[in-house]
Each structure stands twice: as C-alpha cells, then as structure tokens.
Amino acid sequence: MDRRIKPKSLLSPLAKQLTSRLPGRGLLLAGLAIVLLFMGMAVFAPWISPYDPTKMVDKPFLPPSLKHFMGTNRIGQDVFSRIIWGSRIVLYVVFSATLLSMAIGIPLGLLSGYRGGKIDRVLSMFMDSMYSFPALILAIAIAAVLGPSPMNTAIAIAFVYIPTYFRMIRGQTLSIKSQLFIDAAHALGIPDKRIMLIHILPNLAHTILVVFSLSVADAILTEAGLSFLGLSVTPPTPDWGYDLRVGQPFFLNGQWWLVFFPGLSVMLLAMGFALIGEALSERLSLAQSI
Amino acid sequence: MPRYLLEIKDLVVKYYALSGIVRAVDHVSLAVKPGEWISVVGESGCGKSTMAYSIARLISPPGKIVDGKIVFDGRDLLRTSPKEFRKILGREIGVVFQDPMTSLDPLRRIGDQIAEVYMTHLGMKKKEAIEKAIEVLERVGIPRDKISAYPHQMSGGQRQRVAIAIAVALRPKLLIADEPTTALDVIVQDTIMDLLQSFKKEGTSILFITHDLALAAERSDRIAVMYAGKLVEEGPAEKIVENPLHPYTQGLLKSVPDLWGPKKIESIPGYPPDLRSPPPGCRFHPRCRYAGESCRREEPVLRCFGEHCVACHRAWVK
Amino acid sequence: MAKKGLGYYIVVRALMIIPTILILYTIVFVLLRILPGNPILAVVGTRNIPPEQLRHLEHLAGLDKPLIAQYFDYLWNVLHGNFGVTLASPMGVPVMDYIATRFPATLELAIWGFTFSVIIGLVTGMIAALKRGGKIDTTMRIYSIVAYTLFIPWLGMILQYVFGVVLGVLPTGGRIDPRINLQTITGLYVLDSILTGNLPALISSIKHLILPSLTLGIVLSGAYTRLVRNNMVDVLSMDFIRSYKARGIPGYKITWYALKNAFIPVITLMGLQFAILLGGAILTETTFSWPGMGTFIVDRIEYRDYNSIQGAIIFFAFFVAVISLVVDVIYALLDPRIKY
Ligand SMILES: Nc1ncnc2c1ncn2[C@@H]1O[C@H](COP(=O)(O)OP(=O)(O)O)[C@@H](O)[C@H]1O
Ligand SMILES: [Mg+2]
C-alpha cells in the first residue's frame, strides 16, 4: 500500500500532456513555445542582446530599423535590448514571488485541510479575507513601504498569491482526505506528516501545475503593473512596465515603438503561461470527469 | 377519420459519437391509432427514448435521423418547416420526460411556465393564460395556490404532475411520456399512471415508454417491445402478456417483480449489446437460449399473425 | 421561505462582513507597521530633522503611542469616518477629504467598466455557447485568454492613440472638460449632469468615461466570456431546455431562459471580479490621468505619505466587503432556490 510517487512521475502529467492527442494540445504547445522563447531570451540575454540596454547607443527616437529592430527610446537606448534584458527582471521577480507564495501557501493549505478544526477555521478566514481584496492594491501598498527593488517587488507579489495556493491546496486536500486510502494509511499507523507529504501532496501535483501556470500569468501582469507605477525597479534597469510608463507621452506623439513592444511582451509572456494553464486545466477536468 | 394518428415508417436514427456510430434506432415501424395507449418496452439503452424524441424532432447532434418517415395526422413531420412544426409540437403533441426534478425551469414560477404554452400557441394574454393554467393545474390534482410556487418547492410527484399539465394543457392528440414514473416512488407512480389514463379516456393517444413490462401491461391497449434498436414484438397487450412470442419478451415477463417483493425471480442473463457494433443475425441471439444457426447468421424480419407481430426465427418452434 | 425573510438575511449577511473587515484592517495595519523603516523618516527623506518636529509628526500620525493603542485608536477613528491626516504635501489634511472627492471618480469608472465587462462577457460567451464546437467558439475562447492577459496601460494607450490622437474623437485624459462648470452632488459626474440638467457636462463626462471604462471592461470581460460560455453550454444540455423545445417555445425565448440560468453562477464571480476591477482601475486611472483613488495612492507613494496610503487601503477594504454583501443579496434575489 505504498503509494510513494517517484520524482519522475511528478512531471509525467506534463510529459504525457505533450504527447497525447487530447483536445487543447495546440494551446499547450503554443503556450510552451512562447514561454520557452522568453526564457531563452532571459537566459541568453548577454549573448543575443545587440547593445547594452542601459547605455545611450544611438540617437534618440529612431524608429525600428535593421540596426535597431525596435527603435531607440528618448535617451537613445536600444529598445530591443531593453526588451531582452527586461525579460530577465520579469521572470526573476515572478518566479521568486511564485516560489515564495507556494512555499508558504502549500504547507499551510495542506495543514489546514488535513487537520481541520480551529487552525483551519482561523487560517481560512484570514486567507479568504485576503483573497477577496484587490491583489494589485495590496501589492502596491507593500511595495510602496518596502521601496523599489526587484526582490521587494517579489515579496509584495508573493504575499498576495499566498491565498490562491492556500485555498486550492486546502480544497483538494479535503477531497483527497475523504478518500479511502488515506483512512487505510491512518489505520496502518502512518504518521500524519508522512501521509501529507507522501500520500496527499503527490496527488496534488497536477493541480499545482495548473494553478502555478495561471498564477504566474497573473503575477506577470501584477509585476508589470507595479513597475508601471514606478514601484519595481529604479532606472536605468531595463523593465517593461517602467518603459511603457515613460514612453506614454511619446507614444501619443507617434513614437509607437516605445510603448508597443514592451506592452506586447507583457501580454505575450502572460499569455504563454495562461495558455499552458488553460490547456492543463481542461485536461484535468477531463481526467476527473472520466 | 384516418386509421392511424401516427405512423412511423422504417425509422433509422444514429448517433455519430466520437467513439463510433451508434445505431440507436434501426428500421423501426410503429403506428398509433387515435385514442389508443401504446407502450414501448425494453431494457435501458434499447433506443426507446431516441425513437420517441424523433417524433418530436428533439434529436440533436451528434444524433441524426438518417432515414424513415413519420406521418402525424396526415402530415409528414420530418418534412414540415421548423415554424410549422413549432405549431404542432406542444399543441398537438405533448411530451413528458423522465426526470421531473430537472424538466422544469428552476428560475420561473410554475404558473408562468404553464401559462406560457397558452400564450405561445393560442396568443392569450397573461391574465387569461394564468387562469387557464390554474384550471389545468387543478385538473392534474394540484391545489391552485401552487400556481406561484417555484419547482424546488414541490415534490417529485407534484413536479411530474406540473410537467403533465403543461404537456396536456392544449389537449394534444398525442402524448409522449418517456418513463414518466421511473424517477418516482411506487405509490406516486400509480397516481401518475391514473392521471395519464384519465387523459386517454378524454381521447388523447398515449405513447408510453417504459422498461417495466408489468407497468405497461396494466394500462396499455398495445405493447411494442424494442431490443437493441429493433422492434422485436408488437401486439395487443393481453396477447403479449399471455402469449409472448419473442424470447426477449418472455424474459422480460419473467423478470417481472414477484407479488411478495421487488425481487426479480428470473432475469435475462447478460446485457443488451453495444449499439456501435451489434451482433450479426438476430441481435438477441447471444442471450437467447433457443438460439440456433440461423439466428447467428440471418436477421429475422417482423412477421405478423393477425395483430400480433414478432421478429424471431424460432417464434413457432417453442 | 418567502421574500419577507430578505431583511433578516441582509442583516445577518451584513454582520458577517465585520470579521472580514477586521481581518483586512489587521493585515494592513500589521503590514504597514512591521515593515522596516520609520514612516516619518521616509516622508522627510534622509535629511536630519529637528527632534521636536519628528515628534510632532509622529504625534500627528499617532505613532507616539504603543502599537496596541494605535491599533484600537485607528480602528475607532476609522469607524467614525476618520482615516487620519496626510503626512506630506500638504500636511495635516484629513485623508477622508481626499477620499470624498477621489472615491466617486473611481466608483464611476468602476461602474462603467464593470458594466462594459459584463455586457461584453455575456454577449461573447453566449455566442460561443450557441455556436459551440465551431470556429466562432474557438475565436471567443482565444478572445477570453487574450483579453485576460492584455496589459491595461498598453490597451489604454492604444485606445488613446487610435480614438484620441488619430481619429481625435475622444479625450485621452481627465473626467470632464475643465471649461465646463458642473455642480457636484454625488461626485458621479454623469449622474450629477443628469440631476442638474447640464447637457454639455453630460456629453463631456460620458466622452471622458468611454475610453478608460472600455479599457477596464475589455480586460475584465475575458473571465465572463469563458464562464458564461461554459455555464451556457451546461444549461443548454439540461432537461428543462429540451422541455421548452417540446412545448414549441420559440428559440429566442429558450435562449433567453438559458441565459438567465447561465447567469446565476456568474453573479458569484462578480464580487471577485469587482475587486480585481478596482486593482485594474489604479492602472487605468494612471494611464488616463483620472483623478480617482488610484492616482491618489500613486501620488501619495511619491511622498511616502503612508498615513494616506493606509487610509485609502482600509477604505477599499470596506468597499470590497460591501460589494460582496451586495452581490450576495442580488444572488439571493435572483435565485429562488436560495433560502434565507
Ligand atoms: N447523445 C448521444 N450520443 C451518443 N450515443 C447516444 C446518445 N444518446 C443516446 N445514445 C445511445 O443510443 C442508444 C439508445 O439510447 P436511448 O434512446 O436513450 O435508449 P433508451 O431510452 O431505450 O434507454 C444507447 O445505446 C445510447 O448509448
Ligand atoms: Mg430512455
């Protein structure tokens, strides 16, 4: 009755999704392609970026050309290079934030759902209240007090996504707990901690993957929002949201590339994760309905 | 007066499901006389509902009426325009479904739902329609003050009465009832059957669908037995009960509950076949104890002895 | 089971928002205080200031008392509509004064954005459901994902560019033409224009509202498109829809009944969506120089005026709780199956 799941099988849902010809395969592949493209940009930025993103490399306000694929901005920086390096900041902030909220939200959710009782009621009440509050506003407050820096932004974002993980894990734990094999494990005298880690958590892998993709998509938009409001990084660090803000007056003058490319990048990256989440959740509900 | 109110001729209905093509109704012919109660009997999955819904043109994708003709009161139903058909359906043909819990709109008062058919088909004003609704509600045995109740405030039996009230509101010539009592408990079942019979007495023909041969036998003029999308036996109710010719009908009769309890004394072994790939020859042969070589090879055709028809190679051997 | 229990239900449900507000209040209070740095020093920057002025400022902000006392003092004040005073530029102005002029602007934007999002979501979701499985369905599905992932300032700027600059038909910022004199009653300009019979003000305020609320509406509509579509597909396969058909009810009426049923679960989403909408409104306001709560908060952040930030956020907490109450009451009114 050892249902220990090997590390490999934690990833197998994703691997299987890719190869199986279920509906939503196109969405999944499109999402993965977009995400991998941006991740590649972030990882290989030093090699693929044509210019230093923080330096004035040419005349200001040059429209897109072969020399500057996305033109130059008001201080002569190369927009394309800033987009490439900007993907580093976004992904760094968003991944740190998401990992942090998972690290807090998942254990609390497990505990709350598994134990029940008072802990559960108190935790749930807190998390539900937080969940009902506009995430961006809360993140703005925290980021404002912490001051602008990528790590601080990550903390602010992490904070607001804790309830998302908590609620999902708690709900799933409750439903798994009611299934038979947990009772059996209990009867065999397996300690609670082991049951949670070895019998419940692996069963949540797929759900976590779905929520991860969707919350990363959301967090990307939150990060862009914070930096649009000037709460994420300080210049001249390349950052999409900030560049968008600075470009606004020039955009309305016709220098469209200053706004168009950063905003498009935000949308594409968020969409990449949203597509993955959408495809995976469709398959999850499909698997559950069978 | 025409001899038949409804004539189904060689009806073929298929479901084009992802997993394969389901031949739910396969060359079925059936006729209903004016004022007659005819029951269609068979295990679940034999295509009874599909056949009944074809009459009301309620088959939607992936289902499709592939072939056949349905003549109702001199009109070819499968060839009337949607607009014309909407005037027939609900007015000349009423339908009652199996599950009263889900067949009424949960967000609307039952009075409004009943009144709607008067307003739609007769162009009545709301006030007049509600008065008619109260009338028909009392006719099916529900107190008038329930007129402003919501479906969830009523019991299953009451809801089924409301569903019947809506179906008979305009005194249709034909009432199709698809297992109207299956979801109800036995005592309520009986009162619903009485109610249906009272409408038959007023001249409505009833096409009653059930898996329960005993229930059908009590009230029907005629009984048609379906198996795996085919009509296998058909005739006057008492002949079917006293002298069933098809082994399947015999099996159904034997599985009728004992007087002393709901236990089946002898049921047919096995299950109806998968209609994506029905067995060759007689579709019943894998479950038939009389099955012979011809049954495995050749599909039996419906043959009639007077009013009693059967599709079985061995009908007279036994 | 009749509607006469509604008053009772509302009271009970209203009492239930008290813990929610207390929790949010506590979270905000604790967060803003355990975070590093003296907020007063943050206001004045790193410059040395005379100790008595620092103390005066701390007194103004109520920071000279023990934390517990601060917690209850502030709570007491908030319950009396006193959200503290600004700490900078200008100093000592009640935060409530700002809220009183800024909040109606945000509310007006939110209401319009919300309306747009629901209408767009209902129409697209319904069309997708009626044409389910086809090309239109797929298009709507992609629309819902794209709308959801659109970055609000980006969409806002594109709309500004197209309608404000290129076509020149709509203003790109502000609430109303500054040359127009409008007497404010509720602070909702459209309503005020109607109340005072001021036609130029009405036209101008509607024109100013269109782009920002459309921006919010489009981004927020994605979630509705998808939910309405899925509910509608579920409802259309329900037995009572087939019953309607079997009664000869015309198709457009059946679609309407299906839509009503599909709409019920959408109401529960609305409370949450409204909260998300308020977050989005901050970005919209900044993009369109809309003088609402969002631009107020962003302004105050520049001055590190944390008293104002705290006041504004706690006010939002109240507002969100009230909205969830309203949504629940609407739900109870529309769904006869809800017992209260
Ligand atoms: N929407 C559908 N898609 C695919 N197959 C269907 C569908 N509806 C019914 N069927 C199949 O058609 C056959 C006949 O079904 P039905 O008419 O409901 O039988 P009955 O009413 O006798 O129980 C069954 O095998 C069933 O599985
Ligand atoms: Mg059936």
Side-chain angles (χ1 to χ4, degrees):
Chain A
M1 142 99 238
D2 193 24
R3 295 182 100 257
R4 198 175 308 207
I5 306 233
K6 293 172 198 75
K8 193 187 93 218
S9 61
L10 278 180
L11 286 176
S12 75
L14 186 58
K16 244 188 271 162
Q17 303 307 339
L18 280 177
T19 45
S20 64
R21 284 207 144 270
L22 284 168
R25 186 165 179 254
L27 294 186
L28 191 64
L29 289 177
L32 276 175
I34 295 173
V35 167
L36 287 178
L37 178 77
F38 278 100
M39 287 217 211
M41 263 166 60
V43 171
F44 299 109
W47 293 278
I48 52 176
S49 165
Y51 302 96
D52 183 333
T54 61
K55 295 261 162 59
M56 174 163 180
V57 293
D58 211 325
K59 288 200 239 13
F61 297 127
L62 289 176
S65 65
L66 278 181
K67 201 162 159 231
H68 302 283
F69 296 137
M70 300 181 181
T72 60
N73 66 10
R74 103 207 115 100
I75 44 179
Q77 295 161 334
D78 179 55
V79 175
F80 182 54
S81 304
R82 287 184 70 80
I83 293 282
I84 290 177
W85 284 88
S87 63
R88 270 200 170 188
I89 300 281
V90 183
L91 287 171
Y92 166 72
V93 169
V94 165
F95 278 134
S96 324
T98 310
L99 291 181
L100 207 58
S101 33
M102 284 168 83
I104 298 170
I106 293 177
L108 286 182
L110 261 177
L111 188 75
S112 199
Y114 187 77
R115 279 280 158 74
K118 238 194 206 118
I119 301 183
D120 181 39
R121 278 202 298 278
V122 172
L123 274 175
S124 297
M125 212 151 85
F126 260 88
M127 295 289 178
D128 286 350
S129 304
M130 257 169 79
Y131 190 73
S132 70
F133 195 75
L136 187 63
I137 297 179
L138 203 54
I140 286 173
I142 302 170
V145 178
L146 288 174
S149 94
M151 200 56 222
N152 287 348
T153 312
I155 292 173
I157 296 176
F159 195 80
V160 300
Y161 289 101
I162 291 173
T164 309
Y165 285 95
F166 172 87
R167 286 161 54 103
M168 179 272 299
I169 295 289
R170 177 181 172 274
Q172 294 277 315
T173 306
L174 277 178
S175 79
I176 291 179
K177 203 177 94 176
S178 64
Q179 286 165 19
L180 218 57
F181 71 88
I182 299 295
D183 282 347
H186 228 121
L188 289 177
I190 300 173
D192 284 353
K193 213 158 109 193
R194 240 180 96 86
I195 296 180
M196 281 194 253
L197 287 181
I198 295 175
H199 298 280
I200 297 183
L201 196 55
N203 284 291
L204 300 179
H206 197 145
T207 320
I208 292 177
L209 213 57
V210 171
V211 178
F212 172 83
S213 317
L214 294 175
S215 75
V216 165
D218 213 58
I220 288 166
L221 294 163
T222 307
E223 194 278 341
L226 289 178
S227 56
F228 177 75
L229 298 174
L231 292 170
S232 180
V233 300
T234 41
T237 316
D239 186 83
W240 300 343
Y242 179 78
D243 284 2
L244 198 71
R245 170 72 170 278
V246 175
Q248 181 173 15
F250 309 106
F251 174 68
L252 297 183
N253 274 338
Q255 275 108 6
W256 56 272
W257 57 93
L258 295 183
V259 157
F260 181 75
F261 293 113
L264 187 68
S265 307
V266 172
M267 182 176 97
L268 280 180
L269 186 53
M271 196 152 70
F273 283 101
L275 286 172
I276 295 176
E278 169 96 6
L280 290 184
S281 75
E282 184 175 318
R283 281 162 190 215
L284 188 64
S285 60
L286 204 72
Q288 278 165 353
S289 67
I290 288 172
Chain B
M1 197 166 176
R3 199 162 128 68
Y4 293 117
L5 174 67
L6 175 78
E7 265 189 284
I8 302 174
K9 287 179 194 157
D10 260 330
L11 184 70
V12 181
V13 186
K14 294 179 181 173
Y15 290 100
Y16 296 86
L18 287 176
S19 54
I21 300 174
V22 183
R23 290 150 71 183
V25 175
D26 200 352
H27 295 283
V28 167
S29 300
L30 192 69
V32 183
K33 289 180 206 139
E36 174 182 58
W37 177 313
I38 179 163
S39 294
V40 179
V41 185
E43 286 163 294
S44 139
C46 284
K48 308 182 297 291
S49 300
T50 304
M51 186 204 66
Y53 296 162
S54 303
I55 303 164
R57 298 220 307 217
L58 289 173
I59 304 292
S60 52
K64 192 171 186 297
I65 299 175
V66 178
D67 200 6
K69 208 170 164 185
I70 298 175
V71 181
F72 175 78
D73 209 16
R75 282 157 295 181
D76 185 347
L77 287 188
L78 299 182
R79 269 166 202 77
T80 48
S81 70
K83 207 175 145 214
E84 219 178 307
F85 188 72
R86 255 209 318 275
K87 285 187 202 142
I88 299 175
L89 191 60
R91 183 171 185 169
E92 296 181 48
I93 300 176
V95 188
V96 178
F97 296 97
Q98 173 170 344
D99 190 357
M101 292 318 205
T102 55
S103 63
L104 297 169
D105 187 338
L107 297 186
R108 297 178 65 217
R109 297 173 193 277
I110 58 152
D112 293 339
Q113 296 189 50
I114 304 173
E116 189 173 30
V117 290
Y118 291 109
M119 291 155 73
T120 305
H121 290 284
L122 303 183
M124 280 186 189
K125 290 270 175 297
K126 177 84 184 247
K127 203 164 158 265
E128 194 187 352
I130 288 283
E131 262 157 37
K132 296 288 282 181
I134 293 174
E135 231 172 77
V136 73
L137 203 59
E138 288 188 322
R139 168 69 181 82
V140 298
I142 292 185
R144 54 167 39 215
D145 59 312
K146 287 279 183 191
I147 193 85
S148 54
Y150 285 98
H152 74 274
Q153 295 165 334
M154 313 183 97
S155 70
Q158 283 180 317
R159 289 190 213 188
Q160 196 60 296
R161 283 168 186 273
V162 172
I164 292 172
I166 297 175
V168 301
L170 300 169
R171 297 303 146 125
K173 294 179 181 134
L174 175 68
L175 179 64
I176 299 171
D178 184 14
E179 313 222 16
T181 60
T182 306
L184 306 172
D185 57 56
V186 186
I187 298 168
V188 183
Q189 259 189 26
D190 230 39
T191 61
I192 296 287
M193 294 298 281
D194 289 342
L195 185 62
L196 291 178
Q197 196 156 29
S198 71
F199 286 108
K200 185 210 150 189
K201 286 209 185 94
E202 292 175 15
T204 304
S205 297
I206 293 179
L207 181 66
F208 181 77
I209 314 277
T210 182
H211 61 267
D212 185 347
L213 183 51
L215 191 68
E218 282 172 38
R219 324 252 176 178
S220 311
D221 300 314
R222 281 193 308 137
I223 292 177
V225 182
M226 272 185 86
Y227 182 76
K230 289 262 178 200
L231 194 70
V232 293
E233 182 163 4
E234 197 238 302
E238 60 291 346
K239 287 214 172 145
I240 298 280
V241 175
E242 278 155 26
N243 182 27
L245 294 177
H246 200 285
Y248 180 60
T249 316
Q250 294 166 1
L252 284 179
L253 269 174
K254 282 187 190 143
S255 57
V256 160
D258 189 354
L259 195 60
W260 304 112
K263 241 185 144 35
K264 291 183 173 185
I265 34 181
E266 184 185 336
S267 62
I268 313 165
Y271 299 95
D274 182 349
L275 291 184
R276 282 170 301 185
S277 51
C282 172
R283 291 185 183 180
F284 187 62
H285 84 252
R287 297 170 77 187
C288 180
R289 62 170 128 157
Y290 307 108
E293 197 41 44
S294 57
C295 302
R296 279 181 268 277
R297 270 187 290 108
E298 225 178 290
E299 213 174 301
V301 292
L302 203 64
R303 270 179 296 180
C304 298
F305 311 91
E307 277 191 285
H308 193 164
C309 307
V310 66
C312 177
H313 291 306
R314 326 214 105 211
W316 54 87
V317 178
K318 297 164 302 228
Chain C
M1 216 182 295
K3 298 272 175 194
K4 63 175 179 257
L6 187 62
Y8 178 74
Y9 172 79
I10 295 176
V11 170
V12 170
R13 183 59 190 75
L15 289 177
M16 274 160 53
I17 69 176
I18 292 175
T20 310
I21 290 180
L22 271 182
I23 288 170
L24 278 173
Y25 170 79
T26 309
I27 292 172
V28 172
F29 184 89
V30 170
L31 270 179
L32 292 184
R33 263 161 243 243
I34 58 167
L35 291 174
N38 180 326
I40 302 297
L41 287 179
V43 175
V44 293
T46 46
R47 287 173 291 125
N48 286 331
I49 58 161
E52 59 270 26
Q53 200 191 334
L54 180 64
R55 258 192 305 281
H56 172 66
L57 284 173
E58 282 184 341
H59 179 72
L60 258 184
L63 291 176
D64 50 350
K65 292 186 190 157
L67 270 182
I68 284 291
Q70 289 180 31
Y71 177 88
F72 286 108
D73 274 3
Y74 193 66
L75 182 60
W76 181 252
N77 288 337
V78 162
L79 292 178
H80 289 77
N82 175 1
F83 285 78
V85 295
T86 57
L87 291 182
S89 182
M91 206 195 302
V93 180
V95 174
M96 196 57 209
D97 287 3
Y98 280 98
I99 294 177
T101 58
R102 297 297 192 114
F103 179 66
T106 299
L107 185 63
E108 186 164 45
L109 175 62
I111 291 172
W112 279 61
F114 188 72
T115 311
F116 272 123
S117 70
V118 173
I119 292 175
I120 299 173
L122 279 180
V123 171
T124 49
M126 191 179 78
I127 293 174
L130 292 178
K131 309 271 174 193
R132 62 191 168 280
K135 276 212 182 75
I136 293 177
D137 190 13
T138 313
T139 311
M140 292 304 173
R141 184 169 186 190
I142 292 171
Y143 166 79
S144 89
I145 296 177
V146 169
Y148 174 78
T149 54
L150 274 172
F151 187 40
I152 288 176
W154 190 61
L155 175 63
M157 288 180 205
I158 290 176
L159 292 180
Q160 277 177 335
Y161 187 66
V162 173
F163 292 97
V165 178
V166 177
L167 300 175
V169 288
L170 291 170
T172 57
R175 284 186 79 186
I176 194 164
D177 189 331
R179 285 165 303 184
I180 291 176
N181 227 327
L182 173 65
Q183 185 199 345
T184 52
I185 302 166
T186 59
L188 307 174
Y189 283 4
V190 172
L191 189 59
D192 287 348
S193 321
I194 295 172
L195 288 178
T196 58
N198 190 339
L199 189 64
L202 179 66
I203 293 171
S204 175
S205 51
I206 289 180
K207 273 185 158 182
H208 281 80
L209 261 168
I210 290 179
L211 290 186
S213 49
L214 193 61
T215 304
L216 262 181
I218 289 176
V219 174
L220 271 286
S221 68
Y224 290 115
T225 302
R226 172 213 188 90
L227 188 69
V228 169
R229 183 225 173 253
N230 291 345
N231 289 341
M232 189 84 175
V233 167
D234 286 350
V235 170
L236 284 174
S237 72
M238 284 181 185
D239 283 357
F240 73 87
I241 294 294
R242 196 181 52 189
S243 308
Y244 273 133
K245 287 185 193 156
R247 296 172 202 162
I249 308 295
Y252 70 91
K253 274 196 177 169
I254 301 181
T255 305
W256 168 243
Y257 298 140
L259 192 61
K260 267 178 35 180
N261 274 276
F263 190 65
I264 293 289
V266 175
I267 299 171
T268 27
L269 180 75
M270 286 186 170
L272 204 58
Q273 281 287 101
F274 206 87
I276 298 172
L277 187 101
L278 289 176
I282 293 198
L283 297 175
T284 313
E285 288 178 8
T286 310
T287 310
F288 287 90
S289 331
W290 189 265
M293 295 288 283
T295 37
F296 174 63
I297 292 177
V298 174
D299 246 21
R300 293 289 118 187
I301 286 171
E302 307 230 327
Y303 295 116
R304 314 224 144 262
D305 177 357
Y306 105 106
N307 238 14
S308 301
I309 300 172
Q310 171 173 305
I313 289 181
I314 286 173
F315 185 80
F316 267 125
F318 267 97
F319 184 57
V320 168
V322 170
I323 289 294
S324 78
L325 167 70
V326 171
V327 166
D328 279 7
V329 171
I330 293 177
Y331 190 90
L333 280 175
L334 289 189
D335 190 342
R337 286 163 295 188
I338 303 283
K339 294 199 183 93
Y340 39 75

